[in-house]
Amino acid sequence: MLLGCLVLGCLLYIIGVPSAIAGTTGKNILYLNSYHHGYRWSDDITRAIHEVFRADGGRYRIYTEYMDTKRRRSKEMKRHTRSTLQLKYPPGFFDLILASDDAAFDFLLESRDELFGATPAVFCGVNFLDRARLAGRKGLLGISEEAKIFDTLDLALRLHPGTRQVFVISDRTTTGLKIRKKVEQVQSRFGNGVTFHMLPDISLEDIGRRLRQLPEDSMVLLGVFSRDSSDNFYEYDEVVPKLVENCPAPIYGLWDFFLGQGIIGGKLTCGYLQGRQLAGLGLKILHGVPAAALPPLSVSQGEFSFDMRQLDRFGIRPEDLPPGSAVVNREHPLASRMRIILLESLIAISVLLGVILLLLRVMKRRKQVQAVLEEDRSALEVEVRARTLHLTEANRQLRMEILERNRWARALQESEQEKSLILNSSSDLIAYLDTDLRIRWANRKSLDLAGRHPGEVEGLPCYVAWHGLEEPCIGCPLIRAEKTGQPETGEVVTPDGKIWLVRAFPFHDGHGRLSGFTSFSLDVTEQKRAQRAMHRLAYYDHLTGLPNRALLKKELDKRLEEAVARGHGLALMFLDLDDFKAVNDSLGHAKGDLLLKEIASRLQGCLGKEDILARLHGDEFIFLLSEVDDPAAVMAIARNVQNIMTRPFHLDGDEIYVGASVGIACYPLHGVDASNLIKRADRALYAAKGRGRNAIALFSEEINAHFHRRHQLESRLQRALARNEFYLEYQPQVNLQNGQIVGIEALLRWHNGDLGLVMPDDFIPLAEETGLIGPIGEWVLRTACTECLSLLQTGCDPLRLSVNISGYQIKHPDFVSMLDDVLRSTGFDSRLLELEITESVAMNDVEGNVETFGELKARKVLLAIDDFGTGYSSLSYLRNFPIDRLKIDRKFIKDVAECRDSSSLVEAIIGMARSLNLDIIAEGVETTEQVEYLLQAGCLQAQGFLFGRPMSPSDLRHVLRQQDSVSAAAIS
């Protein structure tokens, strides 16, 4: 393994690793670690920080500096750290400072302003931090590490009721002194029956001798011990084995890195969890949450963790531990070690193979690059030659053009007539004016506009000749040029509605006095109209005339700036029409568009003076409400909008009712920028739609958490099949008359490495919504047939295999062909396969389902209606379905022996099944009373916890073999 890592490192060095700093635009993060690399506490925190930032997906660069204060003097290392940071990093280089444990925190308090200025800083691992130390420290927040001394001692004394003396081991480091103080504070809570002794911080060997002499009624609480009275440093994995070796009494600890070294356990503080808390706070700041908006101080959490080997040593049962306790070393140490050796070997082999493949890929890539470079060089030479020829020709033409222009310049100087020709050919109004704006010369375009001859125009003010006004045009650039003496440009609107772009150039005589102007005027009326039309297309919805998303975003940004300046709030209300698709499907898109225009008109009547209504797309609208500070007021507005929408819309004789769901987000409660507000209002709308029609939802952390949970499930569900995270369990179906297993039902399970066991009710609806139910359903069917066939091949009697099929699968056009492929590839007998379809799915598309069911029956596949009694099946429809079995839903079986209503309904279902010649099976059977009732009512098959919980294929094989053994014994 080490050889593979070394080869990989050399390869990366040969290829060249680009600078991690130059040319990037990510966030720079400084991580100050109080201790040293290789110290497990430090490594756990470091690993958690890197995992959190990698999972976020942003571009972050983490620069780690170890202060090494465990092995060296704190003051000396602080000076060294300060000089190192000043040399390595320029001022303002970091966007965030992370610090772990007391030394790094103290260093921040002393040097943060000098080294980092106002850069926000987050800390963890500071033992029993006094909040007063954070007073006046802006941008500084974090986690106080508070060892769970009382909880650990309280549990230990309950597990060892005969204990009368507690010996505390804790050195005189900063952390050790705090532990001693806390023990002194809590010891009075245990009464006079327990005596506490503080062992002095003598050498490790002396403490070992003291521990060998402990009375039988003793226990030991290990705080921290990294330095003794002689200032000798000890690693944690050096301390604990020595103590355990010499101590006959149970030892409890306060930190998780002691676990597995010989302590029993306790409520342990975890460096990895603190690292995740630390990185989480840092991410919030990098995502734009102000540090002042976050709690300045959080408290670390502990969890009960124990070593199974030590529990066995002192006769403690796992059942006596607090619920949810973690227990390590459950397996045999040799098996665990062998697995680690095997894993390391596989990793080493994988790394070597990866290095080889990478080398081959690099060599191939280098050849490709060389070939491309050779082609590029040839192409570049061709292009250089072509461009050289082109530039030579261009220079020749430029020289000819210069000669030509020189000839024209001389000709223009010699011919006033040719000058007038050029001016008169311009589409601009060109004129020379005196200081009173009287025309001295004008081109033909100006004369045409005035409708006069040159002699009639000369001497008239320009505003009289061209526009028939008695005074200069409002905002005329000529007036400004007269005042400033500089060229001026501007637009002038004349009484006839035309827009002119006027450019005025003043002239001065030899004494610097203003002598006149040259005026250029261009009619830009049509251009301005086109610009206004383009603006409307860009910022307004073409159907309703409402502002679109782009204009709403601009207005929201502007209103947020005003809200900040004025100190008031605002709100976004997302409105989505309920079942609008049904209107389009039933009445057509033309009438749907007409309905949207009517809805927009009605919603505009709900607006305040400063409010904005926009249409985002389709049937989704959004309100921007200004100067609202109370979310309750926004909810009232939303209810008013819904009330207005309850009135019917009348379109060409049709009376249409449309409901609306509303999602709300408020500034500053739910966000301080436009993107977050829009996103959270949209999430609130999603939550409202999830509650049914005509609902209102105000954004909350619960909604946000639900969204993230759904997103988390969806992202992991996308990869679950490829990662083999699904597996099947099987529940027996038995004959109630003889107790024999006659069938099994395949039940899907999902175990994710991050989420643990996820129940089908949580992920099956999501799979149906995202379309993943197709490949998942095929995997279930194929796996169930394969595993059941394996059972039958071991000698078990034929069993009916029941597999649940979703509505998405049964409607898919390739479902039957997929089933054929599964049966052909697995070799499973179709006569033993039973497909279960829920009653609601069966009744959703009766005609389509009858056709599909017929194709399945042609293949001799059994069909069953699952959860029967919960839907609205009619007898006539059931007669048309070629089904074989009805499954009575578990909620009717639950109280069938006591409740007359349930028993009557079950009897009716059984009677109907008999009349249709259908088999019947009850699910959810858990008591013998239910079995007796079902037998009496005529139901001969059932499944439930009474006969067996869902089990793995191996457990099922064991149960079937036991059944076969009992049957064989009965026959003999």
Side-chain angles (χ1 to χ4, degrees):
M1 178 175 178
L2 293 176
L3 177 60
C5 294
L6 179 60
V7 174
L8 180 60
C10 293
L11 177 63
L12 292 177
Y13 178 79
I14 293 170
I15 297 173
V17 180
S19 172
I21 300 176
T24 62
T25 58
K27 299 291 186 179
N28 295 322
I29 302 168
L30 173 63
Y31 169 40
L32 286 175
N33 191 303
S34 293
Y35 306 133
H36 55 276
H37 179 65
Y39 192 64
R40 179 178 166 185
W41 174 261
S42 298
D43 292 348
D44 287 349
I45 296 176
T46 304
R47 175 168 57 88
I49 290 172
H50 283 273
E51 287 180 2
V52 170
F53 279 98
R54 277 198 301 271
D56 184 68
R59 299 183 65 180
Y60 304 105
R61 296 179 299 279
I62 302 175
Y63 300 85
T64 303
E65 296 292 341
Y66 291 94
M67 296 181 66
D68 202 8
T69 58
K70 278 288 185 185
R71 301 182 296 188
R72 293 173 175 83
R73 290 295 182 182
S74 178
K75 291 183 179 180
E76 174 188 340
M77 295 314 297
K78 286 180 182 177
R79 288 194 300 269
H80 173 73
T81 301
R82 183 181 293 105
S83 61
T84 298
L85 293 176
Q86 289 173 333
L87 287 173
K88 289 177 67 175
Y89 308 110
F93 180 74
F94 294 107
D95 302 287
L96 177 67
I97 311 298
L98 302 178
S100 64
D101 296 286
D102 295 70
F105 174 75
D106 293 338
F107 178 81
L108 272 184
L109 293 184
E110 297 168 6
S111 305
R112 177 185 171 216
D113 293 341
E114 173 190 352
L115 296 179
F116 312 117
T119 303
V122 186
F123 60 86
C124 73
V126 182
N127 287 280
F128 302 101
L129 177 61
D130 185 358
R131 290 177 178 268
R133 299 187 69 189
L134 298 180
R137 304 279 184 173
K138 294 184 178 179
L140 181 63
L141 63 151
I143 304 155
S144 173
E145 179 181 328
E146 298 189 7
K148 310 305 178 184
I149 297 172
F150 175 80
D151 294 339
T152 299
L153 287 172
D154 181 63
L155 176 64
L157 291 172
R158 284 191 281 112
L159 294 176
H160 306 276
T163 299
R164 295 295 178 266
Q165 299 184 72
V166 177
F167 291 83
V168 180
I169 300 175
S170 190
D171 60 19
R172 294 192 176 275
T173 61
T174 302
T175 302
L177 292 174
K178 291 180 178 180
I179 295 298
R180 286 171 174 262
K181 183 177 179 180
K182 288 296 178 180
V183 171
E184 292 172 358
Q185 292 175 355
V186 304
Q187 64 184 24
S188 60
R189 299 170 64 179
F190 296 98
N192 298 325
V194 179
T195 303
F196 287 78
H197 305 278
M198 297 288 181
L199 292 178
D201 56 337
I202 51 182
S203 68
L204 187 59
E205 289 73 14
D206 292 336
I207 291 180
R209 284 191 289 272
R210 290 285 301 273
L211 293 179
R212 284 196 295 270
Q213 301 170 6
L214 292 183
E216 292 184 356
D217 60 349
S218 303
M219 75 167 55
V220 176
L221 176 65
L222 175 58
V224 292
F225 191 83
S226 59
R227 288 190 180 276
D228 61 15
S229 57
S230 300
D231 205 29
N232 295 314
F233 171 75
Y234 298 94
E235 291 285 354
Y236 74 92
D237 52 358
E238 178 183 2
V239 172
V240 180
K242 193 71 174 180
L243 298 179
V244 173
E245 177 185 350
N246 292 283
C247 185
I251 302 177
Y252 286 81
L254 300 175
W255 279 272
D256 64 337
F257 50 74
F258 291 145
L259 196 63
Q261 300 291 326
I263 69 166
I264 293 179
K267 192 165 188 181
L268 306 182
T269 298
C270 177
Y272 178 82
L273 294 180
Q274 284 198 58
R276 293 193 66 86
Q277 284 183 268
L278 175 70
L281 290 172
L283 270 180
K284 290 182 179 179
I285 293 175
L286 293 179
H287 286 174
V289 178
L294 297 171
L297 189 64
S298 306
V299 177
S300 64
Q301 301 298 317
E303 61 179 6
F304 284 109
S305 302
F306 301 88
D307 189 336
M308 192 66 206
R309 290 178 296 190
Q310 300 305 315
L311 293 176
D312 292 338
R313 176 187 172 191
F314 291 96
I316 300 172
R317 300 178 305 168
E319 294 82 4
D320 298 330
L321 303 179
S325 297
V327 180
V328 301
N329 292 327
R330 284 184 179 273
E331 296 183 336
H332 194 277
L334 181 59
S336 175
R337 180 58 185 163
M338 291 300 295
R339 186 168 58 255
I340 292 174
I341 293 173
L342 178 60
L343 179 61
E344 288 178 345
S345 301
L346 291 175
I347 291 174
I349 294 171
S350 300
V351 169
L352 288 173
L353 290 176
V355 170
I356 293 171
L357 292 175
L358 187 58
L359 283 170
L360 292 175
R361 183 175 179 182
V362 169
M363 294 172 62
K364 181 179 179 182
R365 179 59 179 168
R366 180 172 293 176
K367 290 181 180 179
Q368 292 174 345
V369 170
Q370 289 175 346
V372 171
L373 288 175
E374 184 63 29
E375 292 177 2
D376 289 346
R377 186 181 66 81
S378 301
L380 184 59
E381 290 177 350
V382 173
E383 185 176 354
V384 168
R385 287 194 295 270
R387 291 200 176 188
T388 301
L389 294 173
H390 175 74
L391 289 174
T392 302
E393 177 64 20
N395 285 334
R396 186 185 66 79
Q397 293 181 0
L398 182 60
R399 287 195 298 271
M400 294 178 62
E401 186 177 346
I402 291 173
L403 293 173
E404 185 70 19
R405 289 192 177 188
N406 287 338
R407 286 195 295 271
W408 273 104
R410 288 192 297 271
L412 287 172
Q413 291 174 359
E414 296 170 356
S415 175
E416 183 66 26
Q417 181 180 2
E418 292 180 1
K419 179 198 73 174
S420 299
L421 178 62
I422 294 174
L423 293 174
N424 288 330
S425 65
S426 174
S427 60
D428 287 11
L429 304 182
I430 305 175
Y432 178 71
L433 312 174
D434 62 17
T435 56
D436 294 324
L437 304 185
R438 291 190 294 268
I439 299 174
R440 294 306 179 194
W441 180 89
N443 70 344
R444 183 177 296 117
K445 186 72 174 180
S446 302
L447 297 176
D448 292 342
L449 179 63
R452 303 171 189 265
H453 296 292
E456 297 173 340
V457 170
E458 292 179 3
L460 289 176
C462 61
Y463 50 85
V464 175
W466 293 336
H467 308 307
L469 300 176
E470 296 180 356
E471 55 186 16
C473 302
I474 299 174
C476 180
L478 289 164
I479 304 299
R480 295 200 303 274
E482 181 180 11
K483 293 179 180 179
T484 64
Q486 301 294 325
E488 297 285 347
T489 301
E491 293 181 356
V492 173
V493 181
T494 57
D496 58 359
K498 288 190 174 182
I499 304 173
W500 297 86
L501 177 63
V502 180
R503 291 166 289 176
F505 298 90
F507 288 94
H508 299 83
D509 58 19
H511 301 287
R513 293 188 297 265
L514 184 67
S515 61
F517 306 91
T518 298
S519 170
F520 297 84
S521 302
L522 177 65
D523 185 356
V524 294
T525 306
E526 293 303 321
Q527 181 181 348
K528 289 295 180 181
R529 288 176 181 168
Q531 288 177 351
R532 286 195 294 269
M534 290 177 64
H535 179 271
R536 184 153 193 87
L537 286 173
Y539 290 107
Y540 289 88
D541 176 47
H542 72 281
L543 178 64
T544 62
L546 295 175
N548 62 12
R549 178 184 288 272
L551 183 54
L552 173 74
K553 180 66 167 54
K554 291 180 65 175
E555 285 293 326
L556 179 55
D557 288 334
K558 184 174 73 174
R559 299 292 176 88
L560 282 171
E561 292 177 2
E562 294 174 356
V564 172
R566 299 178 184 176
H568 62 69
L570 56 80
L572 287 180
M573 290 198 324
F574 263 80
L575 181 143
D576 186 81
L577 304 179
D578 294 328
D579 294 334
F580 182 76
K581 182 177 181 297
V583 176
N584 278 336
D585 293 343
S586 60
L587 301 180
H589 287 277
K591 190 159 286 188
D593 289 346
L594 184 60
L595 176 61
L596 287 173
K597 294 171 68 174
E598 292 293 324
I599 290 172
S601 176
R602 184 177 293 184
L603 291 177
Q604 282 180 299
C606 305
L607 295 177
K609 183 178 179 181
E610 300 295 329
D611 299 338
I612 294 177
L613 173 65
R615 180 187 179 215
L616 299 187
H617 52 75
D619 58 347
E620 200 168 272
F621 297 84
I622 187 168
F623 289 82
L624 171 55
L625 307 178
S626 300
E627 299 188 12
V628 287
D629 299 303
D630 185 5
V634 183
M635 293 288 287
I637 294 173
R639 285 190 288 271
N640 181 50
V641 170
Q642 285 189 331
N643 290 335
I644 290 173
M645 290 292 293
T646 57
R647 300 198 305 269
F649 292 88
H650 298 279
L651 301 177
D652 299 335
D654 291 320
E655 188 175 73
I656 304 173
Y657 290 87
V658 179
S661 298
V662 180
I664 300 170
C666 299
Y667 165 85
L669 182 62
H670 302 134
V672 295
D673 60 86
S675 298
N676 265 326
L677 282 173
I678 292 174
K679 178 173 65 177
R680 291 179 175 181
D682 190 37
R683 290 182 181 178
L685 175 62
Y686 184 86
K689 298 288 284 186
R691 299 172 185 173
R693 295 168 57 93
N694 218 37
I696 300 173
L698 179 67
F699 178 81
S700 65
E701 284 306 318
E702 181 181 356
I703 289 176
N704 204 32
H706 176 76
F707 181 86
H708 284 297
R709 169 68 175 174
R710 172 188 167 84
H711 177 72
Q712 189 181 44
L713 281 176
E714 183 176 347
S715 64
R716 285 161 174 77
L717 189 60
Q718 297 280 354
R719 304 186 295 269
L721 199 58
R723 294 182 175 181
N724 295 321
E725 293 179 351
F726 292 117
Y727 63 95
L728 296 181
E729 292 186 334
Y730 300 89
Q731 187 172 34
Q733 297 174 338
V734 303
N735 185 322
L736 295 180
Q737 292 177 311
N738 56 23
Q740 293 294 306
I741 298 175
V742 295
I744 54 175
E745 180 178 2
L747 301 172
L748 178 61
R749 299 292 185 261
W750 176 26
H751 188 277
N752 178 265
D754 297 327
L755 305 177
L757 182 62
V758 184
M759 299 309 295
D761 289 345
D762 292 331
F763 71 86
I764 290 297
L766 185 59
E768 291 179 338
E769 183 178 334
T770 56
L772 293 172
I773 194 65
I776 293 174
E778 181 179 350
W779 179 90
V780 170
L781 193 58
R782 191 177 300 276
T783 303
C785 289
T786 301
E787 294 182 344
C788 186
L789 186 63
S790 176
L791 284 174
L792 298 179
Q793 290 173 347
T794 60
C796 297
D797 292 335
L799 291 173
R800 179 179 67 246
L801 171 63
S802 297
V803 180
N804 291 281
I805 302 298
S806 72
Y808 176 92
Q809 292 175 270
I810 205 70
K811 293 179 181 178
H812 199 281
D814 297 331
F815 174 70
V816 176
S817 60
M818 181 273 291
L819 178 64
D820 289 339
D821 179 69
V822 170
L823 294 174
R824 181 173 56 256
S825 61
T826 61
F828 192 76
D829 189 348
S830 62
R831 293 171 297 180
L832 298 178
L833 177 62
E834 178 179 77
L835 302 182
E836 295 186 6
I837 301 95
T838 63
E839 185 179 5
S840 58
V841 169
M843 300 306 298
N844 189 29
D845 180 12
V846 175
E847 294 182 1
N849 288 339
V850 167
E851 181 179 353
T852 303
F853 290 173
E855 294 184 50
L856 296 174
K857 291 305 296 180
R859 289 157 174 79
K860 300 181 181 180
V861 174
L862 302 175
L863 298 175
I865 299 297
D866 195 11
D867 299 337
F868 190 77
T870 60
Y872 302 96
S873 300
S874 67
L875 187 60
S876 61
Y877 282 138
L878 285 177
R879 293 176 66 88
N880 293 329
F881 287 151
I883 58 176
D884 303 281
R885 188 184 317 277
L886 296 181
K887 293 191 72 173
I888 305 176
D889 188 72
R890 66 180 65 251
K891 68 181 180 181
F892 301 123
I893 301 300
K894 182 178 180 182
D895 54 356
V896 69
E898 294 83 13
C899 178
R900 182 57 190 166
D901 292 338
S902 296
S903 61
S904 298
L905 183 57
V906 170
E907 291 170 4
I909 293 173
I910 295 173
M912 181 176 64
R914 287 176 174 173
S915 67
L916 296 174
N917 294 321
L918 300 178
D919 291 337
I920 195 83
I921 184 171
E923 56 182 350
V925 176
E926 299 181 358
T927 66
T928 55
E929 290 80 4
Q930 294 169 345
V931 171
E932 293 173 358
Y933 172 82
L934 291 172
L935 283 171
Q936 186 177 359
C939 177
L940 303 182
Q941 293 185 16
Q943 70 181 86
F945 288 173
L946 181 64
F947 312 110
R949 292 180 175 270
M951 61 189 72
S952 66
S954 60
D955 291 339
L956 178 61
R957 181 180 291 107
H958 179 71
V959 171
L960 292 174
R961 285 176 178 174
Q962 285 185 330
Q963 175 179 283
D964 292 343
S965 299
V966 172
S967 299
I971 293 174
S972 61

